[in-house]
Amino acid sequence: MPTTSSKPVNHYAELPVDQIACYANNPRVTRNPEYERIKNSLEKNGIESPLIVTRKPGDKNYTLQAGGNTRLNIAQSLHDAGDDAFAKIPCIVKQWTSELNLLVSHLRENDMRGNLMFIERALGVMEFARLATEPGAERLSQRELARQLSDHGYTLSQPVISAMDYAVNRLFGLLPIALEHGMGKRQVMSIRALEHCAVKIWDRQCPDEAGEFSDLFSELVKNCDGATFDLEELTTNVANEIAVAAELDINGVRLMLDAERSGEPIELDRFMPVVPDESRKLDEPVEKRPFNLDREIQKARSTAIEACVALAERFELSDCIHVTIEERFGYCMCELPRRNASKTQIGIWKLLATACDQARASKRALKQVMKPTSRLSESLENGRASDAYDVLPAFDLFDCGDRLLHVLDASDWNHVVDLLGAYRRVRKFADEHGLNLWKA
């Protein structure tokens, strides 16, 4: 006896090009970089692969069901220009399921092609959240959104959804140019971390104006919008606003921001600028300040931290740093770059690790500052401390100079000079006074 199947039946049809519409909520909001190549291909060969379409009950026209928006746009423009070869389009017609499935199909299709920007994916996911929310109901939690996306065959982790939420609902109105020019998840997360830390410092240092930093931060972010976003510029502007409002030294505020981001907040009393004694006569001999080893090492550490954090943020290595503000060289590299890191990132990582004398550290000392789950920590289990860095791809010393010369701008080079100068001073003090800064 024949059995019946509940699986939707698809069929082939050649449909009038004017009866097919691009998907209104297509995640891609910028022009496809392959537009000209696709147009040339269609002009020579026509549409070789059928478009996949569907039709919502009650609608007259069909809608693209999974990708094909660029091909349809080109076909419609060619037909409008008088090319009758595109009067009808070969299509696979699928049964309508739901608006959510339609959106996820386009997200998945674009992901497979690998050409969606982070903000485009984020806008698609936030549109899914809007469509999935019942009228009058509260906004979906990020955990619930992740679950519903997974139910529709699109898996994202909660941290990625959190970054997307911040990008769309906080940054998109402030940094549209930067986001549409390819700002990624790491930069978005860095801005969010900066805002989180800056608000906490502002509320502590300016208690009479607590809760008022959010709008100011928005203006500072908006002023940094452009095709090339500079996180260092934003950080400097934020530190300056806090320093002026709280009557503090800007370098001290920068250090507070770095410490807050590392999870080790500090107070600023010891970094307050020294007010000169105006009553002192100009011809009065100035007594030379006695040398204080701890103070000089701490000054060098502060310089090293600021330079290291700036370079790490610039090259998306912030997750690799652990600030040790009162110990060693002020920081250490607690994680390796991600496995698909560029040669430039690997070179910068090695530079930062060298400038905190990490290769001299013992296995025991390194384990004290690293997460047990880090790749660097795992590599220590089966070898010597000096072997841990062998898991990184080789980075030729001669290639290093040429590569860094082309990728480091003037500000980056200043940070490199400051970092190596701080390293040299700390090493000099350690050698002269017999200090083992990496002693476990």
Side-chain angles (χ1 to χ4, degrees), residues 293-294 297 300-301 324 326-331 355-357 360-362 365 368-369 422-423 425-431 434-440:
L293 176 62
D294 291 338
I297 289 181
R301 283 177 180 145
T324 56
E326 297 286 354
E327 300 178 299
R328 306 183 177 94
F329 289 77
Y331 72 93
C356 67
D357 234 10
R360 293 177 173 232
S362 67
Q368 290 178 351
V369 294
Y423 165 72
R425 289 196 298 277
V426 176
R427 276 293 307 273
K428 178 174 178 289
F429 294 143
D431 292 344
L435 304 178
N436 182 357
L437 295 175
W438 271 104
K439 183 177 180 180

PDB file of all heavy atoms in Angstrom, residues 293-294 297 300-301 324 326-331 355-357 360-362 365 368-369 422-423 425-431 434-440:
ATOM      1  N   LEU A 293      64.302  52.691  44.049  1.00  0.00           N
ATOM      2  CA  LEU A 293      64.235  51.592  43.096  1.00  0.00           C
ATOM      3  C   LEU A 293      62.789  51.186  42.793  1.00  0.00           C
ATOM      4  O   LEU A 293      62.410  51.028  41.627  1.00  0.00           O
ATOM      5  CB  LEU A 293      65.014  50.381  43.631  1.00  0.00           C
ATOM      6  CG  LEU A 293      64.953  49.117  42.759  1.00  0.00           C
ATOM      7  CD1 LEU A 293      65.558  49.377  41.391  1.00  0.00           C
ATOM      8  CD2 LEU A 293      65.664  47.956  43.459  1.00  0.00           C
ATOM      9  N   ASP A 294      61.970  51.020  43.826  1.00  0.00           N
ATOM     10  CA  ASP A 294      60.585  50.590  43.613  1.00  0.00           C
ATOM     11  C   ASP A 294      59.824  51.599  42.742  1.00  0.00           C
ATOM     12  O   ASP A 294      59.047  51.212  41.858  1.00  0.00           O
ATOM     13  CB  ASP A 294      59.865  50.420  44.950  1.00  0.00           C
ATOM     14  CG  ASP A 294      60.389  49.235  45.740  1.00  0.00           C
ATOM     15  OD1 ASP A 294      60.985  48.334  45.098  1.00  0.00           O
ATOM     16  OD2 ASP A 294      60.217  49.202  46.973  1.00  0.00           O
ATOM     17  N   ILE A 297      61.063  51.412  39.038  1.00  0.00           N
ATOM     18  CA  ILE A 297      60.554  50.213  38.363  1.00  0.00           C
ATOM     19  C   ILE A 297      59.067  50.359  38.079  1.00  0.00           C
ATOM     20  O   ILE A 297      58.572  49.980  37.006  1.00  0.00           O
ATOM     21  CB  ILE A 297      60.830  48.948  39.206  1.00  0.00           C
ATOM     22  CG1 ILE A 297      62.325  48.627  39.195  1.00  0.00           C
ATOM     23  CG2 ILE A 297      60.041  47.758  38.672  1.00  0.00           C
ATOM     24  CD1 ILE A 297      62.695  47.389  39.972  1.00  0.00           C
ATOM     25  N   ALA A 300      58.474  52.496  35.053  1.00  0.00           N
ATOM     26  CA  ALA A 300      58.751  51.749  33.825  1.00  0.00           C
ATOM     27  C   ALA A 300      57.632  50.761  33.532  1.00  0.00           C
ATOM     28  O   ALA A 300      57.226  50.581  32.375  1.00  0.00           O
ATOM     29  CB  ALA A 300      60.090  51.021  33.944  1.00  0.00           C
ATOM     30  N   ARG A 301      57.119  50.113  34.583  1.00  0.00           N
ATOM     31  CA  ARG A 301      55.996  49.188  34.386  1.00  0.00           C
ATOM     32  C   ARG A 301      54.783  49.904  33.797  1.00  0.00           C
ATOM     33  O   ARG A 301      54.112  49.390  32.902  1.00  0.00           O
ATOM     34  CB  ARG A 301      55.605  48.544  35.714  1.00  0.00           C
ATOM     35  CG  ARG A 301      56.520  47.425  36.188  1.00  0.00           C
ATOM     36  CD  ARG A 301      56.075  46.929  37.538  1.00  0.00           C
ATOM     37  NE  ARG A 301      56.915  45.862  38.040  1.00  0.00           N
ATOM     38  CZ  ARG A 301      57.220  45.683  39.320  1.00  0.00           C
ATOM     39  NH1 ARG A 301      56.753  46.545  40.226  1.00  0.00           N
ATOM     40  NH2 ARG A 301      57.984  44.690  39.692  1.00  0.00           N
ATOM     41  N   THR A 324      50.010  42.707  35.225  1.00  0.00           N
ATOM     42  CA  THR A 324      50.532  42.423  36.577  1.00  0.00           C
ATOM     43  C   THR A 324      51.157  43.711  37.090  1.00  0.00           C
ATOM     44  O   THR A 324      52.380  43.845  37.123  1.00  0.00           O
ATOM     45  CB  THR A 324      51.571  41.295  36.532  1.00  0.00           C
ATOM     46  OG1 THR A 324      52.616  41.668  35.609  1.00  0.00           O
ATOM     47  CG2 THR A 324      50.956  39.996  36.067  1.00  0.00           C
ATOM     48  N   GLU A 326      51.857  45.336  39.691  1.00  0.00           N
ATOM     49  CA  GLU A 326      52.843  45.474  40.773  1.00  0.00           C
ATOM     50  C   GLU A 326      53.968  44.455  40.656  1.00  0.00           C
ATOM     51  O   GLU A 326      54.816  44.371  41.543  1.00  0.00           O
ATOM     52  CB  GLU A 326      52.142  45.283  42.134  1.00  0.00           C
ATOM     53  CG  GLU A 326      51.070  46.322  42.442  1.00  0.00           C
ATOM     54  CD  GLU A 326      51.666  47.673  42.820  1.00  0.00           C
ATOM     55  OE1 GLU A 326      52.897  47.751  42.949  1.00  0.00           O
ATOM     56  OE2 GLU A 326      50.904  48.634  42.969  1.00  0.00           O
ATOM     57  N   GLU A 327      54.005  43.690  39.599  1.00  0.00           N
ATOM     58  CA  GLU A 327      54.970  42.603  39.505  1.00  0.00           C
ATOM     59  C   GLU A 327      55.671  42.595  38.155  1.00  0.00           C
ATOM     60  O   GLU A 327      55.155  43.097  37.161  1.00  0.00           O
ATOM     61  CB  GLU A 327      54.279  41.248  39.714  1.00  0.00           C
ATOM     62  CG  GLU A 327      53.601  41.083  41.062  1.00  0.00           C
ATOM     63  CD  GLU A 327      52.910  39.746  41.172  1.00  0.00           C
ATOM     64  OE1 GLU A 327      51.993  39.476  40.379  1.00  0.00           O
ATOM     65  OE2 GLU A 327      53.307  38.971  42.045  1.00  0.00           O
ATOM     66  N   ARG A 328      56.844  42.026  38.138  1.00  0.00           N
ATOM     67  CA  ARG A 328      57.602  41.736  36.927  1.00  0.00           C
ATOM     68  C   ARG A 328      57.721  42.958  36.018  1.00  0.00           C
ATOM     69  O   ARG A 328      58.152  43.999  36.446  1.00  0.00           O
ATOM     70  CB  ARG A 328      56.973  40.536  36.226  1.00  0.00           C
ATOM     71  CG  ARG A 328      56.849  39.320  37.162  1.00  0.00           C
ATOM     72  CD  ARG A 328      56.309  38.098  36.491  1.00  0.00           C
ATOM     73  NE  ARG A 328      56.281  36.981  37.420  1.00  0.00           N
ATOM     74  CZ  ARG A 328      55.228  36.642  38.154  1.00  0.00           C
ATOM     75  NH1 ARG A 328      54.105  37.329  38.038  1.00  0.00           N
ATOM     76  NH2 ARG A 328      55.285  35.640  38.994  1.00  0.00           N
ATOM     77  N   PHE A 329      57.310  42.827  34.772  1.00  0.00           N
ATOM     78  CA  PHE A 329      57.438  43.926  33.825  1.00  0.00           C
ATOM     79  C   PHE A 329      56.114  44.654  33.614  1.00  0.00           C
ATOM     80  O   PHE A 329      55.979  45.446  32.693  1.00  0.00           O
ATOM     81  CB  PHE A 329      57.962  43.403  32.488  1.00  0.00           C
ATOM     82  CG  PHE A 329      59.404  42.976  32.538  1.00  0.00           C
ATOM     83  CD1 PHE A 329      59.770  41.768  33.113  1.00  0.00           C
ATOM     84  CD2 PHE A 329      60.397  43.797  32.035  1.00  0.00           C
ATOM     85  CE1 PHE A 329      61.094  41.372  33.174  1.00  0.00           C
ATOM     86  CE2 PHE A 329      61.727  43.414  32.092  1.00  0.00           C
ATOM     87  CZ  PHE A 329      62.087  42.200  32.667  1.00  0.00           C
ATOM     88  N   GLY A 330      55.135  44.387  34.458  1.00  0.00           N
ATOM     89  CA  GLY A 330      53.848  45.065  34.377  1.00  0.00           C
ATOM     90  C   GLY A 330      52.788  44.286  33.644  1.00  0.00           C
ATOM     91  O   GLY A 330      51.595  44.580  33.756  1.00  0.00           O
ATOM     92  N   TYR A 331      53.194  43.277  32.871  1.00  0.00           N
ATOM     93  CA  TYR A 331      52.222  42.461  32.133  1.00  0.00           C
ATOM     94  C   TYR A 331      52.918  41.181  31.713  1.00  0.00           C
ATOM     95  O   TYR A 331      54.149  41.046  31.809  1.00  0.00           O
ATOM     96  CB  TYR A 331      51.714  43.199  30.880  1.00  0.00           C
ATOM     97  CG  TYR A 331      52.752  43.279  29.783  1.00  0.00           C
ATOM     98  CD1 TYR A 331      52.815  42.316  28.774  1.00  0.00           C
ATOM     99  CD2 TYR A 331      53.703  44.292  29.760  1.00  0.00           C
ATOM    100  CE1 TYR A 331      53.785  42.373  27.790  1.00  0.00           C
ATOM    101  CE2 TYR A 331      54.674  44.362  28.777  1.00  0.00           C
ATOM    102  CZ  TYR A 331      54.714  43.397  27.786  1.00  0.00           C
ATOM    103  OH  TYR A 331      55.679  43.435  26.813  1.00  0.00           O
ATOM    104  N   ALA A 355      59.344  41.663  25.268  1.00  0.00           N
ATOM    105  CA  ALA A 355      59.494  42.881  26.067  1.00  0.00           C
ATOM    106  C   ALA A 355      59.027  42.718  27.502  1.00  0.00           C
ATOM    107  O   ALA A 355      59.060  43.679  28.274  1.00  0.00           O
ATOM    108  CB  ALA A 355      58.743  44.032  25.407  1.00  0.00           C
ATOM    109  N   CYS A 356      58.587  41.533  27.894  1.00  0.00           N
ATOM    110  CA  CYS A 356      58.336  41.270  29.317  1.00  0.00           C
ATOM    111  C   CYS A 356      59.198  40.105  29.789  1.00  0.00           C
ATOM    112  O   CYS A 356      58.928  39.507  30.833  1.00  0.00           O
ATOM    113  CB  CYS A 356      56.850  41.006  29.587  1.00  0.00           C
ATOM    114  SG  CYS A 356      56.196  39.490  28.873  1.00  0.00           S
ATOM    115  N   ASP A 357      60.232  39.793  28.986  1.00  0.00           N
ATOM    116  CA  ASP A 357      61.233  38.782  29.368  1.00  0.00           C
ATOM    117  C   ASP A 357      60.618  37.410  29.622  1.00  0.00           C
ATOM    118  O   ASP A 357      61.116  36.634  30.442  1.00  0.00           O
ATOM    119  CB  ASP A 357      61.987  39.248  30.621  1.00  0.00           C
ATOM    120  CG  ASP A 357      63.490  39.234  30.388  1.00  0.00           C
ATOM    121  OD1 ASP A 357      63.898  39.051  29.236  1.00  0.00           O
ATOM    122  OD2 ASP A 357      64.238  39.418  31.358  1.00  0.00           O
ATOM    123  N   ARG A 360      62.450  33.963  29.681  1.00  0.00           N
ATOM    124  CA  ARG A 360      63.300  33.628  30.829  1.00  0.00           C
ATOM    125  C   ARG A 360      62.523  33.008  31.977  1.00  0.00           C
ATOM    126  O   ARG A 360      63.100  32.590  32.969  1.00  0.00           O
ATOM    127  CB  ARG A 360      64.007  34.893  31.345  1.00  0.00           C
ATOM    128  CG  ARG A 360      65.030  35.482  30.411  1.00  0.00           C
ATOM    129  CD  ARG A 360      65.587  36.760  30.994  1.00  0.00           C
ATOM    130  NE  ARG A 360      66.692  37.279  30.199  1.00  0.00           N
ATOM    131  CZ  ARG A 360      67.876  37.611  30.674  1.00  0.00           C
ATOM    132  NH1 ARG A 360      68.120  37.486  31.960  1.00  0.00           N
ATOM    133  NH2 ARG A 360      68.819  38.075  29.886  1.00  0.00           N
ATOM    134  N   ALA A 361      61.214  33.021  31.870  1.00  0.00           N
ATOM    135  CA  ALA A 361      60.377  32.555  32.985  1.00  0.00           C
ATOM    136  C   ALA A 361      60.418  31.040  33.108  1.00  0.00           C
ATOM    137  O   ALA A 361      60.525  30.310  32.125  1.00  0.00           O
ATOM    138  CB  ALA A 361      58.946  33.018  32.776  1.00  0.00           C
ATOM    139  N   SER A 362      60.308  30.584  34.331  1.00  0.00           N
ATOM    140  CA  SER A 362      60.225  29.146  34.574  1.00  0.00           C
ATOM    141  C   SER A 362      58.810  28.652  34.316  1.00  0.00           C
ATOM    142  O   SER A 362      57.851  29.433  34.269  1.00  0.00           O
ATOM    143  CB  SER A 362      60.610  28.837  36.022  1.00  0.00           C
ATOM    144  OG  SER A 362      59.634  29.380  36.911  1.00  0.00           O
ATOM    145  N   ALA A 365      56.543  29.601  37.209  1.00  0.00           N
ATOM    146  CA  ALA A 365      56.146  31.006  37.241  1.00  0.00           C
ATOM    147  C   ALA A 365      55.087  31.305  36.191  1.00  0.00           C
ATOM    148  O   ALA A 365      54.144  32.054  36.445  1.00  0.00           O
ATOM    149  CB  ALA A 365      57.368  31.893  37.022  1.00  0.00           C
ATOM    150  N   GLN A 368      51.525  30.266  37.080  1.00  0.00           N
ATOM    151  CA  GLN A 368      50.853  31.087  38.089  1.00  0.00           C
ATOM    152  C   GLN A 368      50.045  32.224  37.473  1.00  0.00           C
ATOM    153  O   GLN A 368      49.136  32.749  38.105  1.00  0.00           O
ATOM    154  CB  GLN A 368      51.888  31.666  39.060  1.00  0.00           C
ATOM    155  CG  GLN A 368      52.512  30.628  39.978  1.00  0.00           C
ATOM    156  CD  GLN A 368      53.560  31.230  40.893  1.00  0.00           C
ATOM    157  OE1 GLN A 368      53.946  32.389  40.750  1.00  0.00           O
ATOM    158  NE2 GLN A 368      54.040  30.440  41.849  1.00  0.00           N
ATOM    159  N   VAL A 369      50.383  32.626  36.256  1.00  0.00           N
ATOM    160  CA  VAL A 369      49.700  33.776  35.646  1.00  0.00           C
ATOM    161  C   VAL A 369      48.852  33.383  34.451  1.00  0.00           C
ATOM    162  O   VAL A 369      48.293  34.243  33.788  1.00  0.00           O
ATOM    163  CB  VAL A 369      50.723  34.848  35.202  1.00  0.00           C
ATOM    164  CG1 VAL A 369      51.419  35.437  36.401  1.00  0.00           C
ATOM    165  CG2 VAL A 369      51.733  34.276  34.215  1.00  0.00           C
ATOM    166  N   ALA A 422      61.041  50.889  28.236  1.00  0.00           N
ATOM    167  CA  ALA A 422      60.635  50.457  29.576  1.00  0.00           C
ATOM    168  C   ALA A 422      61.262  49.108  29.919  1.00  0.00           C
ATOM    169  O   ALA A 422      61.736  48.878  31.043  1.00  0.00           O
ATOM    170  CB  ALA A 422      59.116  50.372  29.656  1.00  0.00           C
ATOM    171  N   TYR A 423      61.291  48.203  28.939  1.00  0.00           N
ATOM    172  CA  TYR A 423      61.902  46.881  29.145  1.00  0.00           C
ATOM    173  C   TYR A 423      63.387  47.032  29.502  1.00  0.00           C
ATOM    174  O   TYR A 423      63.884  46.400  30.446  1.00  0.00           O
ATOM    175  CB  TYR A 423      61.749  46.052  27.876  1.00  0.00           C
ATOM    176  CG  TYR A 423      62.620  44.821  27.825  1.00  0.00           C
ATOM    177  CD1 TYR A 423      62.344  43.711  28.623  1.00  0.00           C
ATOM    178  CD2 TYR A 423      63.727  44.766  26.990  1.00  0.00           C
ATOM    179  CE1 TYR A 423      63.151  42.585  28.587  1.00  0.00           C
ATOM    180  CE2 TYR A 423      64.536  43.650  26.938  1.00  0.00           C
ATOM    181  CZ  TYR A 423      64.253  42.560  27.740  1.00  0.00           C
ATOM    182  OH  TYR A 423      65.050  41.446  27.712  1.00  0.00           O
ATOM    183  N   ARG A 425      64.905  49.598  30.855  1.00  0.00           N
ATOM    184  CA  ARG A 425      65.099  50.178  32.186  1.00  0.00           C
ATOM    185  C   ARG A 425      64.867  49.134  33.277  1.00  0.00           C
ATOM    186  O   ARG A 425      65.633  49.044  34.237  1.00  0.00           O
ATOM    187  CB  ARG A 425      64.134  51.364  32.375  1.00  0.00           C
ATOM    188  CG  ARG A 425      64.514  52.578  31.539  1.00  0.00           C
ATOM    189  CD  ARG A 425      63.811  53.842  32.016  1.00  0.00           C
ATOM    190  NE  ARG A 425      62.359  53.753  31.921  1.00  0.00           N
ATOM    191  CZ  ARG A 425      61.678  53.984  30.819  1.00  0.00           C
ATOM    192  NH1 ARG A 425      62.322  54.295  29.687  1.00  0.00           N
ATOM    193  NH2 ARG A 425      60.359  53.917  30.813  1.00  0.00           N
ATOM    194  N   VAL A 426      63.793  48.349  33.145  1.00  0.00           N
ATOM    195  CA  VAL A 426      63.516  47.346  34.177  1.00  0.00           C
ATOM    196  C   VAL A 426      64.628  46.303  34.223  1.00  0.00           C
ATOM    197  O   VAL A 426      65.075  45.900  35.308  1.00  0.00           O
ATOM    198  CB  VAL A 426      62.142  46.678  33.926  1.00  0.00           C
ATOM    199  CG1 VAL A 426      61.898  45.556  34.943  1.00  0.00           C
ATOM    200  CG2 VAL A 426      61.015  47.699  34.013  1.00  0.00           C
ATOM    201  N   ARG A 427      65.079  45.848  33.047  1.00  0.00           N
ATOM    202  CA  ARG A 427      66.171  44.873  33.015  1.00  0.00           C
ATOM    203  C   ARG A 427      67.436  45.451  33.648  1.00  0.00           C
ATOM    204  O   ARG A 427      68.154  44.761  34.394  1.00  0.00           O
ATOM    205  CB  ARG A 427      66.473  44.471  31.570  1.00  0.00           C
ATOM    206  CG  ARG A 427      65.586  43.360  31.019  1.00  0.00           C
ATOM    207  CD  ARG A 427      65.839  42.025  31.722  1.00  0.00           C
ATOM    208  NE  ARG A 427      67.250  41.680  31.703  1.00  0.00           N
ATOM    209  CZ  ARG A 427      67.851  41.031  30.717  1.00  0.00           C
ATOM    210  NH1 ARG A 427      67.148  40.670  29.644  1.00  0.00           N
ATOM    211  NH2 ARG A 427      69.126  40.736  30.774  1.00  0.00           N
ATOM    212  N   LYS A 428      67.732  46.720  33.385  1.00  0.00           N
ATOM    213  CA  LYS A 428      68.920  47.368  33.941  1.00  0.00           C
ATOM    214  C   LYS A 428      68.833  47.398  35.468  1.00  0.00           C
ATOM    215  O   LYS A 428      69.789  47.048  36.173  1.00  0.00           O
ATOM    216  CB  LYS A 428      69.032  48.791  33.389  1.00  0.00           C
ATOM    217  CG  LYS A 428      70.197  49.612  33.928  1.00  0.00           C
ATOM    218  CD  LYS A 428      70.271  50.948  33.200  1.00  0.00           C
ATOM    219  CE  LYS A 428      71.407  51.808  33.752  1.00  0.00           C
ATOM    220  NZ  LYS A 428      71.127  52.314  35.099  1.00  0.00           N
ATOM    221  N   PHE A 429      67.667  47.808  35.999  1.00  0.00           N
ATOM    222  CA  PHE A 429      67.492  47.850  37.454  1.00  0.00           C
ATOM    223  C   PHE A 429      67.608  46.442  38.045  1.00  0.00           C
ATOM    224  O   PHE A 429      68.232  46.240  39.097  1.00  0.00           O
ATOM    225  CB  PHE A 429      66.131  48.433  37.806  1.00  0.00           C
ATOM    226  CG  PHE A 429      65.979  49.886  37.426  1.00  0.00           C
ATOM    227  CD1 PHE A 429      64.768  50.373  36.938  1.00  0.00           C
ATOM    228  CD2 PHE A 429      67.036  50.772  37.549  1.00  0.00           C
ATOM    229  CE1 PHE A 429      64.620  51.698  36.585  1.00  0.00           C
ATOM    230  CE2 PHE A 429      66.902  52.107  37.204  1.00  0.00           C
ATOM    231  CZ  PHE A 429      65.691  52.571  36.714  1.00  0.00           C
ATOM    232  N   ALA A 430      67.009  45.467  37.363  1.00  0.00           N
ATOM    233  CA  ALA A 430      67.038  44.096  37.874  1.00  0.00           C
ATOM    234  C   ALA A 430      68.464  43.554  37.908  1.00  0.00           C
ATOM    235  O   ALA A 430      68.885  42.911  38.882  1.00  0.00           O
ATOM    236  CB  ALA A 430      66.142  43.206  37.011  1.00  0.00           C
ATOM    237  N   ASP A 431      69.243  43.816  36.849  1.00  0.00           N
ATOM    238  CA  ASP A 431      70.626  43.316  36.788  1.00  0.00           C
ATOM    239  C   ASP A 431      71.499  44.005  37.833  1.00  0.00           C
ATOM    240  O   ASP A 431      72.325  43.365  38.502  1.00  0.00           O
ATOM    241  CB  ASP A 431      71.197  43.536  35.395  1.00  0.00           C
ATOM    242  CG  ASP A 431      70.536  42.674  34.338  1.00  0.00           C
ATOM    243  OD1 ASP A 431      69.859  41.694  34.729  1.00  0.00           O
ATOM    244  OD2 ASP A 431      70.654  42.995  33.127  1.00  0.00           O
ATOM    245  N   GLY A 434      70.318  42.765  41.403  1.00  0.00           N
ATOM    246  CA  GLY A 434      70.196  41.332  41.633  1.00  0.00           C
ATOM    247  C   GLY A 434      68.764  40.841  41.808  1.00  0.00           C
ATOM    248  O   GLY A 434      68.504  39.949  42.622  1.00  0.00           O
ATOM    249  N   LEU A 435      67.829  41.394  41.049  1.00  0.00           N
ATOM    250  CA  LEU A 435      66.416  41.002  41.162  1.00  0.00           C
ATOM    251  C   LEU A 435      66.081  39.927  40.145  1.00  0.00           C
ATOM    252  O   LEU A 435      66.472  39.996  38.989  1.00  0.00           O
ATOM    253  CB  LEU A 435      65.514  42.224  40.916  1.00  0.00           C
ATOM    254  CG  LEU A 435      65.745  43.458  41.802  1.00  0.00           C
ATOM    255  CD1 LEU A 435      64.804  44.578  41.374  1.00  0.00           C
ATOM    256  CD2 LEU A 435      65.536  43.095  43.276  1.00  0.00           C
ATOM    257  N   ASN A 436      65.353  38.923  40.583  1.00  0.00           N
ATOM    258  CA  ASN A 436      64.826  37.897  39.681  1.00  0.00           C
ATOM    259  C   ASN A 436      63.324  38.144  39.554  1.00  0.00           C
ATOM    260  O   ASN A 436      62.525  37.661  40.340  1.00  0.00           O
ATOM    261  CB  ASN A 436      65.108  36.501  40.228  1.00  0.00           C
ATOM    262  CG  ASN A 436      64.621  35.412  39.273  1.00  0.00           C
ATOM    263  OD1 ASN A 436      64.029  35.708  38.231  1.00  0.00           O
ATOM    264  ND2 ASN A 436      64.877  34.159  39.636  1.00  0.00           N
ATOM    265  N   LEU A 437      62.945  38.924  38.544  1.00  0.00           N
ATOM    266  CA  LEU A 437      61.549  39.346  38.420  1.00  0.00           C
ATOM    267  C   LEU A 437      60.617  38.210  38.057  1.00  0.00           C
ATOM    268  O   LEU A 437      59.400  38.312  38.252  1.00  0.00           O
ATOM    269  CB  LEU A 437      61.445  40.466  37.379  1.00  0.00           C
ATOM    270  CG  LEU A 437      62.157  41.766  37.752  1.00  0.00           C
ATOM    271  CD1 LEU A 437      62.109  42.765  36.617  1.00  0.00           C
ATOM    272  CD2 LEU A 437      61.557  42.363  39.018  1.00  0.00           C
ATOM    273  N   TRP A 438      61.134  37.140  37.495  1.00  0.00           N
ATOM    274  CA  TRP A 438      60.274  35.987  37.134  1.00  0.00           C
ATOM    275  C   TRP A 438      60.417  34.836  38.137  1.00  0.00           C
ATOM    276  O   TRP A 438      60.063  33.713  37.830  1.00  0.00           O
ATOM    277  CB  TRP A 438      60.606  35.509  35.721  1.00  0.00           C
ATOM    278  CG  TRP A 438      59.809  36.211  34.674  1.00  0.00           C
ATOM    279  CD1 TRP A 438      60.235  37.186  33.842  1.00  0.00           C
ATOM    280  CD2 TRP A 438      58.435  36.001  34.375  1.00  0.00           C
ATOM    281  NE1 TRP A 438      59.223  37.600  33.027  1.00  0.00           N
ATOM    282  CE2 TRP A 438      58.098  36.892  33.333  1.00  0.00           C
ATOM    283  CE3 TRP A 438      57.431  35.174  34.878  1.00  0.00           C
ATOM    284  CZ2 TRP A 438      56.819  36.964  32.789  1.00  0.00           C
ATOM    285  CZ3 TRP A 438      56.168  35.224  34.331  1.00  0.00           C
ATOM    286  CH2 TRP A 438      55.874  36.119  33.301  1.00  0.00           C
ATOM    287  N   LYS A 439      60.898  35.181  39.309  1.00  0.00           N
ATOM    288  CA  LYS A 439      61.008  34.127  40.340  1.00  0.00           C
ATOM    289  C   LYS A 439      59.614  33.663  40.741  1.00  0.00           C
ATOM    290  O   LYS A 439      58.721  34.468  40.994  1.00  0.00           O
ATOM    291  CB  LYS A 439      61.731  34.672  41.573  1.00  0.00           C
ATOM    292  CG  LYS A 439      61.956  33.642  42.653  1.00  0.00           C
ATOM    293  CD  LYS A 439      62.738  34.235  43.808  1.00  0.00           C
ATOM    294  CE  LYS A 439      62.970  33.209  44.901  1.00  0.00           C
ATOM    295  NZ  LYS A 439      63.728  33.797  46.040  1.00  0.00           N
ATOM    296  N   ALA A 440      59.408  32.351  40.788  1.00  0.00           N
ATOM    297  CA  ALA A 440      58.089  31.788  41.101  1.00  0.00           C
ATOM    298  C   ALA A 440      57.757  32.020  42.559  1.00  0.00           C
ATOM    299  O   ALA A 440      58.633  32.033  43.404  1.00  0.00           O
ATOM    300  CB  ALA A 440      58.052  30.311  40.793  1.00  0.00           C
TER     301      ALA A 440
END
